[in-house]
Amino acid sequence: MSKYVLTNAVLIDGTGGEPQPGSGLVVDGEKIHSVGPSGSLPVPADAMVIDLEGKTLMPGIIDAHTHLTYHRSEYALILQQMNESLELNTIKAVESAGMILDMGCTAIGDGACRGHIALGIRDGVRQGLIRGPKVVAAGPMISGSSGIADHTAAWGYADHDAYLGMCVNGREQVVAAVRKQMREGVDWVKLTGSGTPGNPWIGGRIQDLVYDELAAAVQEAAKFNKRVHVHAHDPIGPQAAAKAGAVSVHSGEFLDEEGLLVLKEYSCVFVPTIAWLHYRTNESYAREYLRSFKPTDAQIQVFIDECQDAYDACREAIPAAHRLGTPMGLGSDAAHVFPPFDIAFEMQYYQDLGIPPLDIITCATQQSAVAVGRGDDWGTLEQGKAADLLVVDGDPARDVTVLRDKDRIEAIVVDGTFQKNTLHEAAAAA
């Protein structure tokens, strides 16, 4: 369908405005032609009209921090990189792309991949070869030596596409790495401003790349009209990233009020990942994830304690960011990997922390679009924006857990094309 009209819906436009009953929009090709009350919509003579019967019409969800190369069959990342070829990982990433789309995600920010896999998935989706969301694709993450991207064994270093990341030290090496990724065709660049809770050599409260290195990456990427996003859990790294000009900071749970205000000042989107953090406090996960290290029980407990510390901090940072007005997106760090395999579970954590459902939807749509550098084109149901939308049987503006029941997401549309369609009128016409 190149032209169609969706009418008689409760419309949530993603801007934070109140839901509008009796409303709809006109889709012409890949774009939204017009939005408004159903009775005032200009209906093209050659357009199909679909009555949504009071269902919710909302923007598609954007997962601003995920990883296509992560998968359920092996989430111990060191073992995945050592034992799984790039070719096999690509096949599993294709499966991941379909799963992510079926969750209701019409777009994602891939926050680092092995080799060029995310770029390949991006292009395969664009060319209609595979099912998946639109992808803002990074290459391997860039970290310092002993950072989280330094996944090779301690007794020998290697620089190879098989690894999820690459190591740099100092401005010159950062610039060289960014230039290489620009040549390879990335959409944005992923850097690490800290370690990760539970990491055996650089924990979540330890800073990795510092301001000068982050700023060098931002400046170099800007020459190519590309943006930088930064992984940083610790209190200092997110502030350095914001001041350096990063478009978004992922994780950031150890930010205090002062740090959150710095992100607000620099319009840097805060993208916490709370469900993932909570899952890492599970002992069975910790043993599976760390098994390549042959950890002792004491080491397992250290991992769990560090992750619990981060989870507890995240439970404070999310409400604080909302209260202070720090721009906040939605990121799962791979919802398709961790039970219950659902981006809406991340949204539920926000709701359980007291964030109003309509504000959560804005985080997951408009603000996540900004977080991946696509705020001008994606994330809201407005004239001229991409026709990326969901039709939901229920009211997520009252309770976001409606989105966890995928049977109630009756339509998923990406760039005007139905990727899922159980609407009776449209199905009959098709």
Side-chain angles (χ1 to χ4, degrees):
M1 292 181 290
S2 60
K3 292 183 183 178
Y4 54 92
V5 184
L6 303 177
T7 67
N8 194 28
V10 178
L11 188 139
I12 300 172
D13 65 12
T15 66
E18 290 297 316
Q20 299 297 314
S23 297
L25 53 77
V26 178
V27 174
D28 187 353
E30 297 183 354
K31 302 290 186 181
I32 297 172
H33 177 272
S34 51
V35 184
S38 296
S40 66
L41 290 173
V43 180
D46 56 347
M48 176 181 291
V49 179
I50 303 172
D51 187 343
L52 296 182
E53 302 176 332
K55 295 180 174 65
T56 298
L57 179 61
M58 61 176 282
I61 297 168
I62 300 173
D63 189 338
H65 177 195
T66 191
H67 299 271
L68 287 160
T69 55
Y70 293 6
H71 54 77
R72 281 181 280 174
S73 60
E74 180 56 270
Y75 50 74
L77 295 180
I78 290 180
L79 290 176
Q80 182 194 107
Q81 291 172 105
M82 296 297 182
N83 298 332
E84 189 170 280
S85 68
L86 288 173
E87 292 78 9
L88 179 58
N89 201 171
T90 300
I91 293 169
K92 293 182 178 181
V94 170
E95 180 184 40
S96 297
M99 292 171 63
I100 293 168
L101 176 64
D102 289 337
M103 290 178 190
C105 289
T106 56
I108 62 170
D110 188 273
C113 67
R114 298 175 64 198
H116 305 95
I117 294 176
L119 284 69
I121 300 296
R122 174 198 66 191
D123 296 344
V125 169
R126 284 178 180 173
Q127 296 176 27
L129 301 175
I130 59 174
R131 292 183 72 251
K134 296 189 288 192
V135 180
V136 177
M141 72 179 78
I142 300 173
S143 80
S145 293
S146 198
I148 63 169
D150 191 352
H151 273 173
T152 48
W155 51 88
Y157 285 83
D159 181 9
H160 193 277
D161 280 349
Y163 297 107
L164 181 66
M166 55 194 304
C167 296
V168 297
N169 299 286
R171 289 179 58 92
E172 290 186 4
Q173 290 186 11
V174 169
V175 168
V178 171
R179 287 176 177 171
K180 179 181 178 182
Q181 292 199 5
M182 292 300 109
R183 174 64 179 82
E184 292 166 347
V186 301
D187 296 311
W188 63 345
V189 177
K190 167 70 170 283
L191 286 93
T192 66
S194 83
T196 300
N199 188 293
W201 53 87
I202 181 167
R205 291 184 179 273
I206 301 174
Q207 189 177 11
D208 185 6
L209 298 178
V210 298
Y211 172 81
D212 284 349
E213 293 168 312
L214 299 173
V218 170
Q219 293 162 13
E220 194 62 27
K223 288 167 47 178
F224 300 87
N225 199 31
K226 301 290 175 66
R227 306 299 298 271
V228 166
H229 64 123
V230 176
H231 157 110
H233 295 260
D234 75 305
I236 304 302
Q239 297 184 55
K243 293 175 181 178
V247 66
S248 53
V249 167
H250 301 169
S251 301
E253 64 274 0
F254 293 122
L255 279 165
D256 57 14
E257 183 170 312
E258 178 184 351
L260 290 168
L261 288 173
V262 168
L263 266 64
K264 180 180 179 179
E265 178 184 356
Y266 287 88
S267 299
C268 181
V269 183
F270 173 42
V271 185
T273 49
I274 187 169
W276 166 81
L277 275 175
H278 196 194
Y279 194 65
R280 283 167 70 90
T281 65
N282 182 302
E283 182 179 346
S284 62
Y285 170 86
R287 291 191 180 279
E288 184 74 8
Y289 185 77
L290 296 175
R291 69 188 192 277
S292 61
F293 296 105
K294 298 182 179 180
T296 64
D297 288 348
Q299 289 170 325
I300 290 290
Q301 192 58 52
V302 168
F303 179 93
I304 292 170
D305 289 346
E306 287 191 14
C307 292
Q308 184 68 51
D309 177 43
Y311 171 63
D312 291 342
C314 200
R315 286 173 52 83
E316 296 182 4
I318 289 173
H322 180 260
R323 173 174 51 84
L324 294 169
T326 301
M328 185 162 56
L330 188 85
S332 72
D333 208 357
H336 58 286
V337 175
F338 307 104
F341 314 124
D342 188 2
I343 186 63
F345 196 46
E346 188 78 20
M347 300 172 75
Q348 182 178 336
Y349 273 79
Y350 283 40
Q351 182 170 285
D352 290 346
L353 290 170
I355 311 300
L358 190 62
D359 291 351
I360 298 169
I361 292 171
T362 303
C363 290
T365 57
Q366 182 190 57
Q367 289 304 308
S368 283
V370 175
V372 300
R374 297 295 187 273
D376 291 340
D377 302 306
W378 302 350
T380 58
L381 301 184
E382 297 179 281
Q383 184 177 14
K385 291 284 190 78
D388 301 335
L389 53 93
L390 306 178
V391 177
V392 182
D393 180 15
D395 186 4
R398 179 170 295 180
D399 183 358
V400 296
T401 63
V402 167
L403 297 167
R404 294 193 61 190
D405 184 349
K406 302 312 170 187
D407 289 338
R408 299 183 74 171
I409 301 179
E410 297 191 2
I412 300 172
V413 178
V414 181
D415 283 336
T417 298
F418 280 84
Q419 301 294 327
K420 175 183 179 180
N421 186 0
T422 60
L423 299 168
H424 295 303
E425 295 87 349

